[in-house]
Amino acid sequence: MNYIEQAFSVLHDWWRYLVGLIVIFIFWQVIGMIPLLIFLGIEVVNGADIAAVSDMTQMSSLLGNNLFLFLMLFSFAVGLVGIILSSKLLHKQSFLNLTTARPKIDWKRFWFVFIIWGVFSIGTTFLSYYLAPEDYVFNLNLKPFIILCVIVILFIPLQTSFEEYLMRGYLMQGFGVILKNRWAPLLITSIIFGLLHGLNPEVEKLGPIMMVFYIGTGLLLGIMTLMDDGLELALGFHAANNIFTALLVTSDWSALQTDALFTSIADPTEMAVSEIVAPVLIVYPILLFILSKKYGWTNWKEKLTGKVIEPTKEDYKIIE
């Protein structure tokens, strides 16, 4: 039984997924945001401009990069709890069933893609610095950077896991068993993933072309999940991408305001379209090719666009 089809073995009525999304949203954007709102409220009471609490960059300056980052990541950690509870209570679904079609979670897969993308991220960052040092300021401040490392290592995997369990897990399985195909869940979750990131400051600075990158990244993660019948690769890639981004480079217009090693001072409006599109059209296909050879992926058309068929009672007996 593949990753989507195994959701038929749990309670999968459409209304359960709707209620689950409401619960997840409450955990993520209501309960999870309470600490951030408290700290911002204290600053406003102490005289801060109330307009500053409506802009991510100004909020980061108001509270400090590390505190703001922690409070933002905390909301995702609470949201992850919401996903687990919704899956368990509404669907009677185990964490393993939500994660993979394998008998147990394959952490070797997680670490394989994590290391590959981590090495790639570090390598391309330092290559970019070498080729255009005028675009960067090296601003290592040891104490804030050490605090940043602790926050990033502990909480960014929770943030990326929230996004993967929501998009490629909960919603991918939900749309799959409701629509009974694979291509629609892949496209729908990728578009939703892109739209959610469309609120990031990068889109305002770089324009709608950034949506190609975000939706393309969603497609990459969705393809990984469907071809590999589990979230392990998507979890590893996403964690590596966000961890090394947070630690290596920041800018005054990016979503992640951190005390990173480098600050990019390049004009974002002069960034070539190829720099945004190249990862989606060149780097991502190469990564998928490497993973396909490593894990022996075959039958791509069926796994990405085929029907989702509810197993019969006889099928369940065979599985048992």
Side-chain angles (χ1 to χ4, degrees):
M1 194 182 302
N2 64 47
Y3 178 66
I4 289 182
E5 287 174 354
Q6 71 180 4
F8 281 115
S9 65
V10 302
L11 300 176
H12 55 275
D13 310 272
W14 67 267
W15 62 266
R16 295 180 187 274
Y17 287 99
L18 179 59
V19 173
L21 285 176
I22 295 173
V23 171
I24 292 166
F25 181 83
I26 291 173
F27 269 78
W28 172 34
Q29 287 294 303
V30 180
I31 299 174
M33 285 293 183
I34 290 175
L36 175 60
L37 294 175
I38 291 174
F39 275 89
L40 290 175
I42 292 172
E43 293 296 328
V44 170
V45 169
N46 289 335
D49 184 358
I50 195 168
V53 303
S54 61
D55 179 81
M56 289 183 66
T57 302
Q58 293 186 56
M59 284 191 285
S60 184
S61 299
L62 194 64
L63 299 178
N65 288 341
N66 282 332
L67 177 58
F68 178 68
L69 179 64
F70 166 75
L71 293 171
M72 285 296 295
L73 295 178
F74 178 81
S75 69
F76 288 95
V78 176
L80 182 59
V81 174
I83 295 175
I84 295 171
L85 289 178
S86 295
S87 178
K88 185 71 174 177
L89 300 178
L90 283 169
H91 302 275
K92 307 301 180 185
Q93 183 176 32
S94 68
F95 186 70
L96 175 64
N97 185 281
L98 184 63
T99 305
T100 184
R102 282 170 275 276
K104 62 179 181 179
I105 298 173
D106 188 349
W107 290 108
K108 289 182 179 179
R109 277 172 152 80
F110 174 94
W111 288 113
F112 178 75
V113 73
F114 182 93
I115 291 171
I116 285 181
W117 198 248
V119 170
F120 176 81
S121 300
I122 294 171
T124 52
T125 297
F126 281 95
L127 177 62
S128 179
Y129 176 71
Y130 175 78
L131 294 175
E134 68 277 6
D135 289 342
Y136 297 90
V137 173
F138 182 71
N139 57 288
L140 175 62
N141 193 337
L142 192 57
K143 184 177 178 180
F145 183 72
I146 291 175
I147 296 173
L148 171 65
C149 287
V150 173
I151 295 172
V152 163
I153 292 171
L154 292 179
F155 282 91
I156 278 190
L158 297 177
Q159 175 251 324
T160 55
S161 293
F162 166 81
E163 294 186 12
E164 291 312 306
Y165 276 101
L166 177 60
M167 295 294 164
R168 262 62 62 174
Y170 196 73
L171 290 180
M172 182 81 81
Q173 287 187 338
F175 284 124
V177 297
I178 293 170
L179 301 176
K180 293 183 170 56
N181 63 56
R182 305 175 198 282
W183 64 267
L186 175 60
L187 291 180
I188 292 171
T189 57
S190 299
I191 292 171
I192 293 174
F193 183 76
L195 291 176
L196 288 176
H197 287 79
L199 300 175
N200 287 359
E202 289 90 338
V203 177
E204 180 181 348
K205 287 291 183 180
L206 302 178
I209 189 66
M210 275 301 295
M211 298 305 294
V212 174
F213 174 76
Y214 288 131
I215 294 175
T217 301
L219 283 169
L220 169 74
L221 295 164
I223 291 170
M224 286 181 181
T225 302
L226 291 178
M227 291 303 302
D228 203 51
D229 276 326
L231 292 177
E232 294 97 333
L233 294 176
L235 288 167
F237 173 91
H238 205 161
N241 184 76
N242 286 26
I243 285 173
F244 290 105
T245 297
L247 292 177
L248 292 174
V249 181
T250 189
S251 66
D252 60 6
W253 47 267
S254 62
L256 285 177
Q257 299 287 312
T258 70
D259 294 298
L261 288 178
F262 296 99
T263 297
S264 173
I265 57 174
D267 184 354
T269 60
E270 296 181 0
M271 182 177 290
V273 171
S274 59
E275 295 178 56
I276 300 171
V277 178
V280 176
L281 298 183
I282 300 174
V283 179
Y284 288 175
I286 292 173
L287 178 61
L288 287 174
F289 176 78
I290 293 172
L291 295 175
S292 70
K293 293 301 181 182
K294 170 71 173 176
Y295 298 112
W297 294 348
T298 57
N299 200 15
W300 287 68
K301 183 178 180 180
E302 175 62 24
K303 286 192 172 182
L304 297 181
T305 66
K307 295 180 179 179
V308 173
I309 301 173
E310 183 171 3
T312 63
K313 293 181 179 179
E314 286 72 21
D315 292 329
Y316 286 119
K317 289 178 181 178
I318 292 173
I319 294 170
E320 292 172 359

Coordinates of all heavy atoms in Angstrom, one line a residue, residues 56-57 60-61 64-66 68-69 125 135-141 145 148 152 201-202 242-268 271:
M56 N 7.2 42.5 9.5 CA 8.2 41.5 10.1 C 9.5 42.1 10.4 O 10.1 41.8 11.4 CB 8.3 40.3 9.1 CG 7.0 39.4 9.1 SD 7.2 38.0 8.0 CE 8.5 37.1 8.8
T57 N 10.0 42.9 9.4 CA 11.4 43.5 9.6 C 11.4 44.4 10.8 O 12.4 44.3 11.6 CB 11.8 44.3 8.3 OG1 11.7 43.4 7.2 CG2 13.2 44.8 8.5
S60 N 11.3 42.4 14.0 CA 12.6 41.8 14.3 C 13.5 42.8 15.0 O 14.2 42.5 15.9 CB 13.2 41.2 13.0 OG 14.4 40.6 13.3
S61 N 13.5 44.0 14.4 CA 14.3 45.1 15.0 C 13.8 45.5 16.4 O 14.6 45.8 17.3 CB 14.3 46.3 14.1 OG 14.8 46.1 12.8
G64 N 14.6 42.2 18.7 CA 15.9 41.5 18.5 C 15.8 40.3 17.6 O 14.8 39.6 17.7
N65 N 16.8 40.1 16.8 CA 16.6 39.0 15.8 C 16.4 37.7 16.4 O 15.5 36.9 16.0 CB 17.9 39.0 14.9 CG 18.0 40.1 14.0 OD1 17.0 40.8 13.7 ND2 19.2 40.4 13.5
N66 N 17.2 37.3 17.4 CA 17.1 36.0 18.0 C 15.7 35.7 18.7 O 15.1 34.7 18.6 CB 18.2 35.7 18.9 CG 19.5 35.3 18.2 OD1 19.4 34.8 17.0 ND2 20.7 35.6 18.8
F68 N 12.9 37.3 18.2 CA 11.8 37.3 17.2 C 11.8 36.0 16.5 O 10.7 35.4 16.3 CB 11.9 38.5 16.2 CG 10.9 38.5 15.2 CD1 9.5 38.7 15.5 CD2 11.2 38.2 13.9 CE1 8.6 38.7 14.5 CE2 10.2 38.2 12.9 CZ 8.9 38.4 13.2
L69 N 13.0 35.5 16.1 CA 13.0 34.2 15.4 C 12.5 33.1 16.3 O 11.7 32.2 15.8 CB 14.5 33.9 15.0 CG 14.7 32.6 14.3 CD1 14.0 32.6 12.9 CD2 16.2 32.3 14.1
T125 N 26.9 29.2 -1.3 CA 27.0 30.5 -0.6 C 28.4 31.0 -0.6 O 28.7 32.2 -0.9 CB 26.6 30.3 0.9 OG1 25.2 29.9 0.9 CG2 26.8 31.6 1.7
D135 N 29.0 42.1 -2.6 CA 27.6 42.0 -2.3 C 27.3 41.5 -0.9 O 26.1 41.3 -0.5 CB 26.9 41.0 -3.3 CG 26.8 41.5 -4.7 OD1 26.9 42.8 -4.9 OD2 26.7 40.8 -5.7
Y136 N 28.4 41.3 -0.1 CA 28.2 40.7 1.2 C 29.0 41.5 2.2 O 30.0 42.0 1.9 CB 28.6 39.2 1.2 CG 27.8 38.3 0.3 CD1 28.2 38.1 -1.0 CD2 26.7 37.7 0.8 CE1 27.5 37.2 -1.8 CE2 25.9 36.8 0.0 CZ 26.3 36.6 -1.3 OH 25.6 35.8 -2.1
V137 N 28.5 41.4 3.5 CA 29.2 41.9 4.6 C 29.4 40.8 5.6 O 28.4 40.1 6.0 CB 28.5 43.1 5.3 CG1 29.2 43.5 6.6 CG2 28.4 44.3 4.4
F138 N 30.6 40.4 6.0 CA 30.8 39.4 6.9 C 30.6 40.0 8.3 O 31.4 40.9 8.7 CB 32.3 38.8 6.8 CG 32.6 37.7 7.7 CD1 32.0 36.5 7.6 CD2 33.4 37.9 8.8 CE1 32.3 35.4 8.4 CE2 33.7 36.9 9.7 CZ 33.2 35.6 9.5
N139 N 29.6 39.5 9.1 CA 29.3 40.2 10.3 C 29.1 39.2 11.5 O 28.2 39.2 12.2 CB 28.0 41.0 10.1 CG 26.8 40.1 9.7 OD1 26.8 39.7 8.5 ND2 25.9 39.8 10.5
L140 N 30.2 38.3 11.6 CA 30.1 37.3 12.7 C 30.2 38.0 14.0 O 31.2 38.7 14.3 CB 31.2 36.3 12.6 CG 31.3 35.3 13.7 CD1 30.1 34.5 13.8 CD2 32.6 34.4 13.5
N141 N 29.2 37.9 14.8 CA 29.1 38.3 16.2 C 28.9 37.1 17.1 O 27.8 36.6 17.1 CB 28.0 39.4 16.4 CG 28.2 40.1 17.7 OD1 28.8 39.6 18.7 ND2 27.6 41.3 17.8
F145 N 25.5 34.7 17.4 CA 25.5 33.6 16.5 C 25.4 32.3 17.2 O 24.7 31.4 16.6 CB 26.8 33.7 15.7 CG 26.9 32.6 14.6 CD1 26.1 32.7 13.5 CD2 27.7 31.5 14.8 CE1 26.2 31.7 12.5 CE2 27.8 30.5 13.8 CZ 27.0 30.6 12.6
L148 N 21.9 31.9 18.0 CA 21.2 31.6 16.8 C 21.3 30.1 16.4 O 20.3 29.5 16.0 CB 21.7 32.5 15.6 CG 21.2 32.1 14.2 CD1 19.7 32.4 14.1 CD2 22.0 32.9 13.1
V152 N 18.2 27.7 15.9 CA 18.0 27.1 14.6 C 18.0 25.6 14.7 O 17.2 24.9 14.1 CB 19.1 27.6 13.6 CG1 19.3 26.7 12.4 CG2 18.9 29.0 13.2
P201 N 8.5 38.7 2.6 CA 9.0 40.0 2.0 C 9.7 39.8 0.7 O 9.8 40.8 -0.1 CB 9.9 40.5 3.1 CG 9.5 39.8 4.4 CD 9.0 38.5 4.0
E202 N 10.3 38.7 0.5 CA 11.0 38.4 -0.8 C 10.1 38.7 -2.0 O 10.6 39.1 -3.0 CB 11.6 37.0 -0.8 CG 12.7 36.8 0.1 CD 12.3 36.3 1.5 OE1 11.1 36.5 1.8 OE2 13.1 35.7 2.2
N242 N 16.4 25.4 5.2 CA 16.1 26.5 6.2 C 17.2 26.7 7.2 O 17.5 27.8 7.6 CB 14.7 26.3 6.8 CG 13.6 26.5 5.9 OD1 13.7 26.4 4.7 ND2 12.4 26.9 6.4
I243 N 17.7 25.6 7.7 CA 18.8 25.7 8.7 C 20.0 26.5 8.1 O 20.5 27.4 8.7 CB 19.2 24.3 9.2 CG1 18.2 23.8 10.1 CG2 20.6 24.4 9.9 CD1 18.5 22.3 10.5
F244 N 20.5 26.1 6.9 CA 21.7 26.7 6.4 C 21.4 28.1 5.9 O 22.3 29.0 5.9 CB 22.3 25.8 5.3 CG 22.9 24.6 5.9 CD1 22.3 23.3 5.8 CD2 24.1 24.6 6.7 CE1 22.8 22.2 6.4 CE2 24.6 23.5 7.2 CZ 24.0 22.3 7.1
T245 N 20.2 28.3 5.4 CA 19.8 29.7 5.0 C 19.9 30.6 6.2 O 20.4 31.7 6.1 CB 18.4 29.7 4.4 OG1 18.4 28.9 3.2 CG2 18.0 31.1 4.0
A246 N 19.3 30.2 7.3 CA 19.3 31.0 8.5 C 20.7 31.3 9.1 O 20.9 32.4 9.6 CB 18.4 30.3 9.6
L247 N 21.6 30.3 9.0 CA 22.9 30.5 9.5 C 23.9 31.2 8.6 O 24.8 31.9 9.1 CB 23.5 29.1 9.9 CG 22.8 28.3 11.0 CD1 23.5 26.9 11.1 CD2 22.9 29.1 12.3
L248 N 23.7 31.1 7.3 CA 24.7 31.6 6.4 C 24.4 33.0 5.9 O 25.4 33.9 6.0 CB 24.8 30.7 5.2 CG 25.3 29.3 5.5 CD1 25.2 28.4 4.2 CD2 26.8 29.3 5.9
V249 N 23.2 33.4 5.5 CA 23.0 34.7 4.9 C 21.7 35.3 5.3 O 20.7 34.6 5.4 CB 23.0 34.6 3.3 CG1 22.8 35.9 2.7 CG2 24.3 33.9 2.8
T250 N 21.7 36.5 5.6 CA 20.5 37.3 5.9 C 20.5 38.6 5.1 O 21.5 38.9 4.4 CB 20.4 37.6 7.4 OG1 19.1 38.1 7.7 CG2 21.4 38.6 7.8
S251 N 19.4 39.3 5.1 CA 19.3 40.6 4.4 C 18.2 41.4 5.1 O 17.4 40.8 5.8 CB 19.1 40.4 2.9 OG 17.8 39.9 2.7
D252 N 18.2 42.7 4.8 CA 17.2 43.5 5.5 C 15.8 43.4 4.8 O 14.8 44.0 5.2 CB 17.6 45.0 5.5 CG 17.8 45.5 4.1 OD1 17.5 44.9 3.1 OD2 18.3 46.7 4.0
W253 N 15.7 42.5 3.7 CA 14.4 42.3 3.1 C 13.9 40.9 3.0 O 12.9 40.5 2.4 CB 14.5 42.9 1.6 CG 15.7 42.4 0.8 CD1 16.9 43.0 0.7 CD2 15.8 41.2 0.1 NE1 17.8 42.3 0.0 CE2 17.2 41.2 -0.4 CE3 15.0 40.1 -0.1 CZ2 17.6 40.1 -1.2 CZ3 15.5 39.0 -0.9 CH2 16.8 39.1 -1.4
S254 N 14.6 40.0 3.8 CA 14.3 38.6 3.8 C 13.3 38.2 4.9 O 13.2 39.0 5.9 CB 15.5 37.7 3.8 OG 16.2 37.9 5.1
A255 N 12.7 37.1 4.8 CA 11.7 36.7 5.8 C 12.4 36.3 7.1 O 11.9 36.5 8.2 CB 10.9 35.5 5.3
L256 N 13.6 35.7 6.9 CA 14.4 35.3 8.1 C 15.4 36.4 8.4 O 16.4 36.6 7.7 CB 15.1 34.0 7.8 CG 14.3 32.7 7.9 CD1 15.1 31.5 7.5 CD2 13.6 32.5 9.2
Q257 N 15.1 37.2 9.4 CA 16.1 38.2 9.9 C 16.9 37.5 11.0 O 16.4 37.3 12.1 CB 15.3 39.4 10.5 CG 14.4 40.1 9.5 CD 15.2 40.9 8.5 OE1 16.1 41.7 8.9 NE2 14.9 40.7 7.2
T258 N 18.2 37.2 10.7 CA 19.0 36.5 11.7 C 20.4 37.1 11.8 O 20.8 38.0 11.0 CB 19.2 35.0 11.3 OG1 20.0 34.9 10.1 CG2 17.8 34.3 11.0
D259 N 21.1 36.7 12.9 CA 22.5 37.1 13.1 C 23.4 36.2 12.3 O 24.2 35.5 12.9 CB 22.8 37.2 14.5 CG 22.0 38.3 15.2 OD1 22.2 39.5 14.9 OD2 21.2 38.0 16.2
A260 N 23.2 36.0 11.0 CA 23.9 35.1 10.2 C 25.3 35.5 10.0 O 25.8 36.6 10.3 CB 23.2 34.9 8.9
L261 N 26.1 34.6 9.3 CA 27.5 34.9 9.1 C 27.7 36.0 8.1 O 28.6 36.9 8.2 CB 28.2 33.6 8.5 CG 28.5 32.5 9.4 CD1 29.1 31.3 8.7 CD2 29.4 32.9 10.6
F262 N 26.8 36.1 7.1 CA 26.8 37.1 6.1 C 25.5 37.9 6.0 O 24.5 37.3 6.2 CB 27.1 36.5 4.7 CG 28.5 35.8 4.6 CD1 28.5 34.5 4.7 CD2 29.6 36.5 4.3 CE1 29.8 33.8 4.6 CE2 30.9 35.9 4.2 CZ 30.9 34.5 4.4
T263 N 25.7 39.2 5.6 CA 24.5 40.0 5.3 C 24.6 40.4 3.8 O 25.6 40.9 3.4 CB 24.4 41.3 6.1 OG1 24.3 40.9 7.5 CG2 23.2 42.1 5.7
S264 N 23.6 40.0 3.1 CA 23.6 40.4 1.6 C 23.2 41.9 1.5 O 22.1 42.3 2.0 CB 22.6 39.5 0.9 OG 22.5 39.9 -0.5
I265 N 24.0 42.6 0.8 CA 23.7 44.0 0.6 C 23.5 44.3 -0.9 O 23.4 45.5 -1.3 CB 24.8 44.9 1.1 CG1 26.2 44.6 0.5 CG2 24.9 44.9 2.6 CD1 27.3 45.6 0.8
A266 N 23.4 43.2 -1.7 CA 23.1 43.4 -3.1 C 21.7 43.9 -3.3 O 20.8 43.6 -2.5 CB 23.3 42.1 -3.8
D267 N 21.5 44.7 -4.4 CA 20.2 45.2 -4.7 C 19.3 44.1 -5.2 O 19.6 43.5 -6.2 CB 20.3 46.3 -5.8 CG 18.9 46.9 -6.1 OD1 17.9 46.5 -5.5 OD2 18.9 47.9 -6.9
P268 N 18.2 43.7 -4.4 CA 17.4 42.6 -4.9 C 16.7 42.8 -6.2 O 16.4 41.8 -6.9 CB 16.4 42.4 -3.7 CG 16.3 43.8 -3.1 CD 17.7 44.3 -3.2
M271 N 18.6 41.3 -9.2 CA 18.8 39.8 -9.2 C 18.2 39.3 -10.5 O 17.1 39.6 -10.9 CB 18.1 39.1 -8.0 CG 18.3 37.6 -8.0 SD 17.6 36.8 -6.6 CE 18.7 37.4 -5.3

